[in-house]
């Protein structure tokens, strides 16, 4: 059990992010005095702030200080990229996505006694702090920070391009809004089960047709960024690397790992898994 109350935990969690927000643009100005590139400056600021949050987590011996970085950093660097572009809707969607993710996280967050079960598993496997903390920093913080940069990278080229295919652009916006909506609905339907108001497996709404519809919506969001950039042409088709990397993370790590975790946690999950045959894309059930 954490030695900190919920209010103390909240301050410890949020104050570093307030500092990050205050320092983001001064750091950007300092870096751009040496590197005249918006992409380089934002990548370096992301890595500096990631290291800062890692040190805070190390000081408090809590790996989950970094947890909400995925849902905070894009609000800063996407805003910076969009300056002067006249594009309002895409930064708005990024802000809405980030705020939604943070709201969902803090609905369940009990305080600093919480650490992601995957981080706890790594700590149990590598109890030596000189091994454990470098793994956390490199594998669970540096790599994700690179992935959020690459995942949103298509938006940089959207903001610096002109004359998209109107139909394709509008489709990508609708696709992204649908992605955020699917994840929002899935999180809302899961809440009574995660908050222990209801017991057992969530088998309602979207969860009747996919075992992880929230992950499905999450991956759709990243593909939406890429589709938006494609509406301007194929010059920067290589930016698919961001959405593809995140899709691979969910397909080959997050979903299998969560499945294994839930099978160990609840005996009923095996039966739920038989009925809800799809682990990702919503699909037909198998009742018998």
């Amino acid at each position: 059990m954490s030695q900190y109350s919920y209010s103390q935990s909240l301050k410890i969690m949020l104050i570093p992010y307030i500092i990050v927000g205050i320092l983001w643009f001064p750091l950007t100005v300092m870096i751009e005095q040496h590197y005249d590139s918006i992409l380089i400056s934002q990548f370096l600021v992301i890595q500096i702030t990631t290291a800062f949050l890692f040190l805070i987590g190390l000081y408090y011996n809590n790996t989950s200080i970094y947890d909400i970085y995925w849902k905070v950093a894009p609000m800063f660097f996407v805003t910076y990229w969009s300056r002067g572009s006249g594009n309002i809707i895409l930064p708005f969607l990024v802000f809405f996505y980030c705020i939604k993710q943070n709201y969902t996280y803090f609905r369940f967050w009990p305080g600093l006694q919480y650490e992601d079960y995957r981080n706890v598993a790594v700590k149990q496997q590598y109890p030596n702090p000189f091994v454990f903390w470098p793994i956390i920093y490199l594998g669970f913080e540096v790599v994700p920070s690179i992935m959020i940069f690459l995942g949103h990278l298509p938006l940089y080229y959207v903001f610096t391009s002109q004359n998209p295919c109107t139909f394709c652009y509008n489709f990508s916006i609708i696709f992204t809004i649908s992605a955020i909506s699917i994840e929002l609905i899935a999180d809302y339907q899961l809440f009574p089960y995660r908050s222990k108001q209801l017991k057992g497996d969530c088998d309602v709404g979207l969860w009747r047709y996919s075992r992880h519809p929230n992950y499905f919506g999450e991956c759709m969001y990243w593909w939406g960024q890429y589709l938006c950039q494609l509406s301007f042409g194929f010059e920067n088709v290589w930016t698919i690397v961001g959405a593809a990397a995140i899709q691979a993370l969910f397909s080959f790590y997050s979903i299998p790992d969560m499945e294994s975790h839930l099978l160990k946690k609840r005996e009923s999950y095996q039966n739920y898994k038989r009925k809800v045959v799809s682990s990702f894309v919503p699909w037909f059930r198998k009742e018998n």
Side-chain angles (χ1 to χ4, degrees):
M1 185 65 68
S2 171
Q3 60 180 309
Y4 302 103
S5 68
Y6 183 83
S7 60
Q8 290 173 324
S9 296
L10 197 60
K11 290 177 183 178
I12 292 168
M13 186 72 159
L14 295 183
I15 288 176
Y17 285 92
I18 294 173
I19 295 172
V20 165
I22 292 171
L23 294 180
W24 195 283
F25 293 108
L27 281 172
T28 295
V29 172
M30 290 174 57
I31 292 170
E32 288 187 356
Q33 291 176 353
H34 303 280
Y35 299 97
D36 187 21
S37 168
I38 291 176
L39 289 180
I40 290 177
S41 73
Q42 293 310 281
F43 181 80
L44 291 178
V45 171
I46 287 170
Q47 295 310 314
I48 291 169
T49 51
T50 294
F52 169 70
L53 292 171
F54 167 76
L55 292 175
I56 298 296
L58 180 63
Y59 177 80
Y60 286 104
N61 194 31
N62 188 293
T63 59
S64 286
I65 296 292
Y66 176 85
D67 280 357
I68 64 173
Y69 189 78
W70 276 75
K71 312 108 178 178
V72 172
M75 293 191 284
F76 296 114
F77 67 79
V78 170
T79 298
Y80 188 67
W81 285 346
S82 68
R83 293 178 312 151
S85 69
N87 192 313
I88 298 175
I89 188 168
L90 286 173
F92 173 80
L93 289 178
V94 171
F95 266 73
F96 186 80
Y97 163 79
C98 291
I99 292 170
K100 177 203 74 67
Q101 294 287 72
N102 285 316
Y103 173 72
T104 299
Y105 180 86
F106 281 107
R107 287 186 82 187
F108 302 109
W109 188 69
L112 284 184
Q113 67 263 35
Y114 171 80
E115 287 187 274
D116 190 285
Y117 75 89
R118 286 161 286 213
N119 297 354
V120 173
V122 174
K123 184 181 290 186
Q124 292 172 345
Q125 186 174 0
Y126 302 100
N128 187 329
F130 293 101
V131 177
F132 167 69
W133 283 105
I135 290 174
I136 290 297
Y137 176 58
L138 296 174
F140 289 77
E141 298 187 8
V142 171
V143 170
S145 71
I146 293 172
M147 293 179 77
I148 62 168
F149 178 82
L150 293 176
H152 283 104
L153 188 59
L155 296 186
Y156 169 78
Y157 293 100
V158 170
F159 299 139
T160 56
S161 302
Q162 295 180 342
N163 303 319
C165 168
T166 303
F167 173 81
C168 296
Y169 180 79
N170 290 338
F171 174 80
S172 69
I173 295 297
I174 294 171
F175 187 90
T176 303
I177 292 173
S178 300
I180 298 172
S181 299
I182 287 171
E183 192 169 13
L184 179 64
I185 293 168
D187 289 337
Y188 174 79
Q189 292 168 342
L190 182 63
F191 177 74
Y193 295 87
R194 286 200 64 183
S195 61
K196 309 300 182 183
Q197 297 175 24
L198 296 175
K199 296 182 179 180
D201 303 294
C202 181
D203 194 10
V204 298
L206 293 172
W207 299 85
R208 289 182 60 80
Y209 308 100
S210 168
R211 299 197 298 275
H212 304 284
N214 52 341
Y215 290 169
F216 174 66
E218 174 75 13
C219 290
M220 277 184 64
Y221 169 81
W222 299 100
W223 286 112
Q225 312 300 297
Y226 181 66
L227 289 176
C228 191
Q229 185 271 316
L230 278 187
S231 67
F232 289 83
F234 296 98
E235 181 180 358
N236 298 298
V237 67
W238 61 270
T239 58
I240 193 174
V241 64
I246 292 170
Q247 181 69 65
L249 174 69
F250 278 91
S251 297
F252 300 112
Y253 174 69
S254 296
I255 292 176
D257 186 70
M258 180 60 75
E259 293 273 284
S260 176
H261 174 70
L262 291 173
L263 284 169
K264 294 176 183 177
K265 186 178 179 180
R266 291 197 298 269
E267 294 181 3
S268 61
Y269 192 76
Q270 185 63 57
N271 185 51
Y272 171 73
K273 191 174 178 179
R274 290 194 196 98
K275 292 187 293 184
V276 184
V277 295
S278 175
S279 64
F280 188 64
V281 180
W283 196 245
F284 297 103
R285 290 169 61 89
K286 183 179 180 181
E287 293 292 354
N288 295 322

